[in-house]
Amino acid sequence: QVQLVESGGGLVQPGGSLRLSCAASGIIFRLYVMGWYRQAPGKQRELVAVFTSAGTTNYADSVKGRFTISKDNAKNTMYLQMNSLKPEDTAVYYCNAKLFGQDYWGQGTRVTVSS
């Protein structure tokens, strides 16, 4: 059974930082294309950051220079370090794993940036 479990969300003031984690089980983690997505209220889900199949990283323009995606294959865990948070970063953040048509999502973790 595949499980992706996000954690680390919460309420933070503008300019603050959070680190999200995604713990994966039931998949061969290192083979999957792993990424973070988010969905703000009333908006469509969007890509935040992803490891490509070539092992490089891509970021949404809105988070470049502020967010960093990383992963630890030994721990089957992916991270998203979010710095200089803005109110527009408020959303539910989802972990995603893709491989050859398989597409798995976590339940999401809520991030609220507000003073």
Side-chain angles (χ1 to χ4, degrees):
Q1 181 182 0
V2 177
Q3 279 194 311
L4 301 176
V5 180
E6 302 97 335
S7 61
L11 173 63
V12 63
Q13 292 187 340
S17 297
L18 282 175
R19 189 194 195 202
L20 306 183
S21 298
C22 170
S25 60
I27 60 172
I28 303 175
F29 182 78
R30 60 181 173 81
L31 298 181
Y32 279 69
V33 173
M34 301 295 300
W36 288 99
Y37 292 73
R38 68 184 180 187
Q39 188 166 16
K43 295 187 176 181
Q44 289 189 330
R45 193 171 297 189
E46 63 176 1
L47 174 71
V48 176
V50 66
F51 285 98
T52 70
S53 56
T56 58
T57 54
N58 282 340
Y59 293 89
D61 288 343
S62 58
V63 307
K64 281 180 182 176
R66 300 188 298 122
F67 290 12
T68 303
I69 189 172
S70 63
K71 60 178 178 170
D72 185 335
N73 288 338
K75 295 183 178 180
N76 285 4
T77 303
M78 178 175 65
Y79 305 97
L80 185 67
Q81 178 66 44
M82 305 187 295
N83 299 328
S84 302
L85 282 160
K86 304 175 181 180
E88 50 264 43
D89 295 318
T90 294
V92 177
Y93 284 71
Y94 296 92
C95 172
N96 176 257
K98 288 186 175 65
L99 181 67
F100 299 137
Q102 299 175 43
D103 193 5
Y104 300 109
W105 294 90
Q107 83 289 347
T109 185
R110 185 173 302 275
V111 172
T112 303
V113 185
S114 174
S115 55

